[in-house]
Amino acid sequence: MKKIIVCLHFFYCSLILPVTVCSQTDTSYYKHLPQKDFLQLYAGSFSRSIDFISVNKEKQVPKINYSPNSSAFCGFVLGYKKITLYGDVALPLFTKVNRRESDVRAVSFFLSYFRSQWGVTGFAGYNRGLLMRIENMGMQYNSRSDLRTYHAGAHFYRIFNASKFSFIAANSQQMLQVKRAGGFIIKITPSFRLIKTPESIIPVEKSKYHFLGEMVTIKQIQLFSLQLKPGYGYNYVFKNSHFFVAPSVFAGAGADYHLLQQTEKQQNGFNLNVGYRFKTTAGFNNTKYFATLEFLIDHSRSYLYQSLATNTYRECSVNFGFRF
């Protein structure tokens, strides 16, 4: 059975639950679930940061941090027949800045499709405004409502040893790994990122330590990226039980084609990017129920002249589901 899963939501949806079609699998290692329909409840917290770090060695320049008004969240996933429905809300008491004091908002979209040996997850997002904090100047965040960010792309996965190792069982518990197994995975990510403002992305007084080393107004940064991250996933199933620990790690590099828009001119060229991703899921999974604790960190950095532009995402969540 093939399924295409789409989720459209505000704030952030913590899980993407792909469903797979397997052929020539060793059923002594993993199995299809007899009950395909499920309801999952989850709660957790996440953070995303975009940092601009100067590589100027003559003077120690504070890091400039941008982030959405992230918070704790809770929600549900309902899978019935060929439809998977998502819903979640941010918990307003746990935001970095009181929502009444900031108009920073975000929207995200995901689409995921997996088979036994390969898969793809598409993503897109928009931020209206960001919170800004400058290192060594206290913990206070300032709302930059002038900023807009857009990102879109896709993760393409090629999974090896798929006859014994189920990436879906390890990642979303929608299959059942019976014996411990692992496999190498190749992940390729083409993406597009844009951050813009009618003012200046980097405060003008600090711009001489970033990018081109000049005191100029940078109004827009575009990055067209391609990144290759080989990795490995493993699902350690405890003997004679349904408890498991499933870590996966990816690391690699690629290239960006960048466009820096100043007030009167544009700078473009190619630059190096590097990144890593680590996720671990631990819990209980059988044909009726599953309960997990997840931790994820995804980090990438681009080398742009005199700046390192980093993008880091962290998430921790608790999940419980039952099948029917």
Side-chain angles (χ1 to χ4, degrees):
M1 177 176 63
K2 298 180 181 179
K3 292 187 181 182
I4 295 179
I5 299 169
V6 179
C7 77
L8 175 62
H9 59 98
F10 295 94
F11 309 112
Y12 184 77
C13 180
S14 66
L15 295 175
I16 301 297
L17 302 182
V19 176
T20 184
V21 178
C22 300
S23 58
Q24 298 180 344
T25 60
D26 187 341
T27 56
S28 67
Y29 277 84
Y30 69 89
K31 299 178 180 179
H32 293 272
L33 293 165
Q35 295 168 304
K36 304 297 183 182
D37 304 327
F38 66 94
L39 174 64
Q40 177 179 337
L41 304 176
Y42 59 87
S45 65
F46 79 98
S47 66
R48 182 184 294 279
S49 64
I50 301 170
D51 298 326
F52 293 99
I53 305 168
S54 173
V55 297
N56 187 299
K57 298 186 182 302
E58 297 178 2
K59 184 175 180 179
Q60 188 173 1
V61 183
K63 176 175 66 176
I64 300 173
N65 169 265
Y66 293 104
S67 64
N69 197 14
S70 56
S71 72
F73 57 84
C74 63
F76 73 93
V77 184
L78 175 63
Y80 182 71
K81 303 301 181 183
K82 293 187 177 182
I83 298 174
T84 301
L85 179 67
Y86 294 79
D88 70 4
V89 295
L91 303 179
L93 296 179
F94 296 92
T95 55
K96 290 181 178 179
V97 176
N98 191 310
R99 288 174 59 83
R100 295 178 180 177
E101 300 175 2
S102 172
D103 58 356
V104 172
R105 300 291 184 268
V107 179
S108 297
F109 171 83
F110 299 87
L111 182 148
S112 188
Y113 177 76
F114 272 77
R115 299 189 69 173
S116 59
Q117 297 183 2
W118 61 271
V120 58
T121 297
F123 58 88
Y126 164 72
N127 285 86
R128 187 188 73 188
L130 290 170
L131 302 177
M132 183 182 76
R133 183 168 63 87
I134 299 177
E135 190 179 41
N136 300 328
M137 295 184 66
M139 294 300 293
Q140 183 176 357
Y141 288 93
N142 296 316
S143 290
R144 288 285 305 270
S145 57
D146 58 295
L147 290 169
R148 299 290 184 270
T149 69
Y150 305 83
H151 67 271
H155 302 301
F156 294 92
Y157 296 86
R158 175 63 170 92
I159 304 159
F160 297 89
N161 196 29
S163 62
K164 295 182 179 180
F165 170 66
S166 170
F167 184 66
I168 306 307
N171 196 52
S172 65
Q173 295 72 63
Q174 296 311 301
M175 296 196 72
L176 187 62
Q177 188 83 39
V178 180
K179 294 182 181 179
R180 64 190 70 169
F184 288 98
I185 306 167
I186 294 177
K187 179 182 177 185
I188 299 175
T189 304
S191 65
F192 167 74
R193 287 173 288 165
L194 166 65
I195 179 170
K196 67 177 185 176
T197 174
E199 300 176 15
S200 180
I201 296 172
I202 301 294
V204 176
E205 66 274 12
K206 299 186 182 301
S207 62
K208 65 180 179 180
Y209 303 113
H210 289 273
F211 300 120
L212 304 175
E214 304 171 356
M215 189 174 288
V216 296
T217 298
I218 301 292
K219 292 179 173 290
Q220 183 171 292
I221 303 171
Q222 296 184 57
L223 294 174
F224 300 85
S225 306
L226 182 64
Q227 196 172 73
L228 172 66
K229 287 201 285 268
Y232 189 81
Y234 193 83
N235 197 341
Y236 184 95
V237 181
F238 291 89
K239 190 174 182 180
N240 300 321
S241 79
H242 294 286
F243 290 95
F244 71 96
V245 178
S248 63
V249 62
F250 298 86
D256 302 319
Y257 177 73
H258 63 261
L259 294 169
L260 305 181
Q261 183 64 55
Q262 302 176 36
T263 304
E264 298 179 352
K265 64 179 181 179
Q266 186 180 81
Q267 185 80 18
N268 63 290
F270 290 92
N271 62 272
L272 173 70
N273 67 51
V274 297
Y276 65 87
R277 177 185 176 93
F278 173 77
K279 180 180 179 180
T280 186
T281 304
F284 176 87
N285 187 27
N286 66 13
T287 57
K288 293 286 187 180
Y289 306 98
F290 59 96
T292 63
L293 176 64
E294 295 187 3
F295 173 76
L296 166 68
I297 180 169
D298 194 307
H299 175 86
S300 65
R301 59 175 53 196
S302 296
Y303 294 82
L304 293 169
Y305 304 104
Q306 294 190 33
S307 292
L308 293 179
T310 72
N311 193 324
T312 306
Y313 179 82
R314 296 180 179 87
E315 180 189 314
C316 185
S317 64
V318 178
N319 311 273
F320 172 77
F322 63 91
R323 315 180 210 277
F324 55 93

Short mmCIF file of all heavy atoms in Angstrom, two decimals, residues 155-183:
data_model
loop_
_atom_site.label_atom_id
_atom_site.label_comp_id
_atom_site.label_asym_id
_atom_site.label_seq_id
_atom_site.Cartn_x
_atom_site.Cartn_y
_atom_site.Cartn_z
N HIS A 155 14.72 16.39 1.31
CA HIS A 155 15.72 15.39 1.71
C HIS A 155 15.44 14.12 0.92
O HIS A 155 14.33 13.56 1.00
CB HIS A 155 15.64 15.08 3.19
CG HIS A 155 15.82 16.26 4.09
ND1 HIS A 155 16.95 17.04 4.07
CD2 HIS A 155 15.00 16.80 5.03
CE1 HIS A 155 16.83 18.01 4.97
NE2 HIS A 155 15.66 17.89 5.56
N PHE A 156 16.43 13.64 0.16
CA PHE A 156 16.31 12.38 -0.58
C PHE A 156 17.18 11.34 0.12
O PHE A 156 18.37 11.58 0.35
CB PHE A 156 16.77 12.56 -2.03
CG PHE A 156 15.88 13.47 -2.84
CD1 PHE A 156 16.17 14.83 -2.91
CD2 PHE A 156 14.77 12.98 -3.50
CE1 PHE A 156 15.35 15.69 -3.65
CE2 PHE A 156 13.95 13.81 -4.25
CZ PHE A 156 14.24 15.18 -4.32
N TYR A 157 16.58 10.20 0.44
CA TYR A 157 17.27 9.15 1.19
C TYR A 157 17.44 7.91 0.32
O TYR A 157 16.50 7.48 -0.37
CB TYR A 157 16.46 8.74 2.42
CG TYR A 157 16.28 9.81 3.46
CD1 TYR A 157 15.23 10.72 3.37
CD2 TYR A 157 17.13 9.91 4.56
CE1 TYR A 157 15.04 11.70 4.33
CE2 TYR A 157 16.95 10.89 5.52
CZ TYR A 157 15.90 11.78 5.40
OH TYR A 157 15.71 12.75 6.35
N ARG A 158 18.64 7.32 0.38
CA ARG A 158 18.89 5.99 -0.19
C ARG A 158 19.33 5.10 0.97
O ARG A 158 20.34 5.36 1.62
CB ARG A 158 19.97 6.04 -1.26
CG ARG A 158 20.37 4.68 -1.82
CD ARG A 158 19.22 3.97 -2.52
NE ARG A 158 19.69 2.79 -3.23
CZ ARG A 158 19.73 1.55 -2.72
NH1 ARG A 158 19.32 1.37 -1.46
NH2 ARG A 158 20.15 0.55 -3.43
N ILE A 159 18.54 4.06 1.25
CA ILE A 159 18.72 3.23 2.44
C ILE A 159 19.29 1.87 2.03
O ILE A 159 18.72 1.19 1.16
CB ILE A 159 17.37 3.05 3.16
CG1 ILE A 159 16.78 4.42 3.50
CG2 ILE A 159 17.54 2.20 4.41
CD1 ILE A 159 15.30 4.41 3.75
N PHE A 160 20.39 1.48 2.65
CA PHE A 160 21.02 0.20 2.36
C PHE A 160 20.68 -0.82 3.46
O PHE A 160 20.25 -0.46 4.54
CB PHE A 160 22.53 0.38 2.24
CG PHE A 160 22.93 1.27 1.09
CD1 PHE A 160 23.06 2.64 1.26
CD2 PHE A 160 23.16 0.73 -0.17
CE1 PHE A 160 23.41 3.46 0.20
CE2 PHE A 160 23.52 1.53 -1.24
CZ PHE A 160 23.65 2.91 -1.06
N ASN A 161 20.87 -2.08 3.14
CA ASN A 161 20.50 -3.19 4.04
C ASN A 161 19.01 -3.14 4.38
O ASN A 161 18.60 -3.47 5.50
CB ASN A 161 21.34 -3.16 5.33
CG ASN A 161 21.27 -4.48 6.09
OD1 ASN A 161 21.09 -5.54 5.49
ND2 ASN A 161 21.41 -4.42 7.40
N ALA A 162 18.20 -2.73 3.41
CA ALA A 162 16.76 -2.55 3.66
C ALA A 162 16.03 -3.88 3.84
O ALA A 162 14.88 -3.88 4.29
CB ALA A 162 16.13 -1.78 2.51
N SER A 163 16.66 -4.99 3.51
CA SER A 163 16.00 -6.28 3.74
C SER A 163 15.97 -6.65 5.22
O SER A 163 15.13 -7.45 5.65
CB SER A 163 16.73 -7.38 2.96
OG SER A 163 18.07 -7.52 3.42
N LYS A 164 16.87 -6.02 6.03
CA LYS A 164 16.91 -6.32 7.47
C LYS A 164 16.63 -5.09 8.34
O LYS A 164 16.11 -5.23 9.44
CB LYS A 164 18.27 -6.90 7.84
CG LYS A 164 18.55 -8.26 7.20
CD LYS A 164 19.90 -8.81 7.63
CE LYS A 164 20.15 -10.17 7.01
NZ LYS A 164 21.47 -10.73 7.43
N PHE A 165 16.99 -3.94 7.84
CA PHE A 165 16.85 -2.70 8.62
C PHE A 165 15.71 -1.86 8.05
O PHE A 165 15.72 -1.48 6.88
CB PHE A 165 18.15 -1.91 8.59
CG PHE A 165 18.04 -0.53 9.16
CD1 PHE A 165 17.76 -0.33 10.51
CD2 PHE A 165 18.21 0.59 8.35
CE1 PHE A 165 17.66 0.96 11.03
CE2 PHE A 165 18.11 1.87 8.86
CZ PHE A 165 17.84 2.05 10.20
N SER A 166 14.72 -1.56 8.89
CA SER A 166 13.61 -0.70 8.49
C SER A 166 13.84 0.70 9.05
O SER A 166 13.75 0.93 10.25
CB SER A 166 12.28 -1.25 9.00
OG SER A 166 11.25 -0.30 8.82
N PHE A 167 14.12 1.64 8.15
CA PHE A 167 14.29 3.03 8.56
C PHE A 167 12.97 3.58 9.11
O PHE A 167 12.96 4.41 10.02
CB PHE A 167 14.77 3.85 7.37
CG PHE A 167 15.07 5.28 7.71
CD1 PHE A 167 16.12 5.61 8.56
CD2 PHE A 167 14.31 6.31 7.18
CE1 PHE A 167 16.41 6.93 8.86
CE2 PHE A 167 14.59 7.63 7.48
CZ PHE A 167 15.65 7.94 8.32
N ILE A 168 11.85 3.09 8.59
CA ILE A 168 10.54 3.56 9.05
C ILE A 168 10.27 3.08 10.48
O ILE A 168 9.75 3.83 11.31
CB ILE A 168 9.43 3.06 8.12
CG1 ILE A 168 9.74 3.46 6.68
CG2 ILE A 168 8.08 3.62 8.55
CD1 ILE A 168 10.04 4.93 6.51
N ALA A 169 10.63 1.84 10.79
CA ALA A 169 10.45 1.34 12.15
C ALA A 169 11.29 2.14 13.14
O ALA A 169 10.84 2.45 14.25
CB ALA A 169 10.82 -0.14 12.22
N ALA A 170 12.49 2.51 12.72
CA ALA A 170 13.37 3.28 13.61
C ALA A 170 12.93 4.72 13.74
O ALA A 170 13.03 5.31 14.81
CB ALA A 170 14.81 3.21 13.07
N ASN A 171 12.41 5.29 12.66
CA ASN A 171 12.15 6.72 12.62
C ASN A 171 10.75 7.09 13.09
O ASN A 171 10.55 8.13 13.72
CB ASN A 171 12.35 7.23 11.19
CG ASN A 171 12.48 8.72 11.13
OD1 ASN A 171 13.28 9.32 11.84
ND2 ASN A 171 11.67 9.35 10.28
N SER A 172 9.75 6.26 12.78
CA SER A 172 8.37 6.66 13.10
C SER A 172 7.51 5.54 13.67
O SER A 172 6.33 5.74 13.91
CB SER A 172 7.69 7.21 11.84
OG SER A 172 7.57 6.19 10.86
N GLN A 173 8.07 4.34 13.84
CA GLN A 173 7.38 3.23 14.49
C GLN A 173 6.14 2.75 13.72
O GLN A 173 5.25 2.16 14.30
CB GLN A 173 6.98 3.56 15.95
CG GLN A 173 8.16 3.77 16.88
CD GLN A 173 8.87 5.08 16.61
OE1 GLN A 173 8.27 6.14 16.76
NE2 GLN A 173 10.13 5.02 16.24
N GLN A 174 6.11 2.98 12.43
CA GLN A 174 5.00 2.50 11.63
C GLN A 174 5.30 1.16 10.95
O GLN A 174 4.56 0.72 10.08
CB GLN A 174 4.59 3.55 10.60
CG GLN A 174 4.07 4.83 11.23
CD GLN A 174 3.01 4.56 12.29
OE1 GLN A 174 1.98 3.96 11.98
NE2 GLN A 174 3.26 4.97 13.53
N MET A 175 6.39 0.54 11.35
CA MET A 175 6.67 -0.87 11.10
C MET A 175 7.28 -1.41 12.39
O MET A 175 7.57 -0.65 13.32
CB MET A 175 7.59 -1.06 9.90
CG MET A 175 6.96 -0.60 8.59
SD MET A 175 7.82 -1.23 7.15
CE MET A 175 7.33 -2.95 7.20
N LEU A 176 7.49 -2.71 12.45
CA LEU A 176 7.95 -3.34 13.69
C LEU A 176 9.27 -4.05 13.46
O LEU A 176 9.33 -5.07 12.75
CB LEU A 176 6.89 -4.34 14.17
CG LEU A 176 7.13 -4.97 15.55
CD1 LEU A 176 7.13 -3.90 16.63
CD2 LEU A 176 6.04 -6.01 15.84
N GLN A 177 10.35 -3.49 14.03
CA GLN A 177 11.66 -4.13 13.98
C GLN A 177 11.70 -5.22 15.05
O GLN A 177 11.50 -4.94 16.23
CB GLN A 177 12.76 -3.11 14.22
CG GLN A 177 14.17 -3.63 13.98
CD GLN A 177 14.58 -3.59 12.52
OE1 GLN A 177 14.27 -2.65 11.81
NE2 GLN A 177 15.31 -4.61 12.08
N VAL A 178 11.98 -6.46 14.63
CA VAL A 178 11.95 -7.60 15.55
C VAL A 178 13.35 -7.90 16.07
O VAL A 178 13.53 -8.20 17.26
CB VAL A 178 11.36 -8.83 14.86
CG1 VAL A 178 11.32 -10.02 15.82
CG2 VAL A 178 9.95 -8.53 14.35
N LYS A 179 14.36 -7.83 15.20
CA LYS A 179 15.75 -8.05 15.58
C LYS A 179 16.56 -6.79 15.31
O LYS A 179 16.27 -6.03 14.39
CB LYS A 179 16.35 -9.22 14.79
CG LYS A 179 15.75 -10.58 15.09
CD LYS A 179 16.46 -11.63 14.27
CE LYS A 179 15.89 -13.02 14.49
NZ LYS A 179 16.58 -14.04 13.66
N ARG A 180 17.59 -6.61 16.10
CA ARG A 180 18.46 -5.44 15.93
C ARG A 180 19.14 -5.49 14.56
O ARG A 180 19.57 -6.55 14.09
CB ARG A 180 19.48 -5.37 17.04
CG ARG A 180 20.46 -6.54 17.06
CD ARG A 180 21.30 -6.57 18.31
NE ARG A 180 20.51 -6.93 19.49
CZ ARG A 180 21.05 -7.24 20.66
NH1 ARG A 180 22.37 -7.23 20.81
NH2 ARG A 180 20.28 -7.55 21.68
N ALA A 181 19.23 -4.34 13.93
CA ALA A 181 19.88 -4.24 12.62
C ALA A 181 20.15 -2.79 12.32
O ALA A 181 19.57 -1.88 12.92
CB ALA A 181 19.00 -4.87 11.53
N GLY A 182 21.06 -2.55 11.37
CA GLY A 182 21.38 -1.19 10.96
C GLY A 182 21.72 -1.13 9.50
O GLY A 182 21.82 -2.16 8.82
N GLY A 183 21.90 0.06 8.99
CA GLY A 183 22.22 0.21 7.59
C GLY A 183 22.78 1.59 7.29
O GLY A 183 22.49 2.57 7.98
#
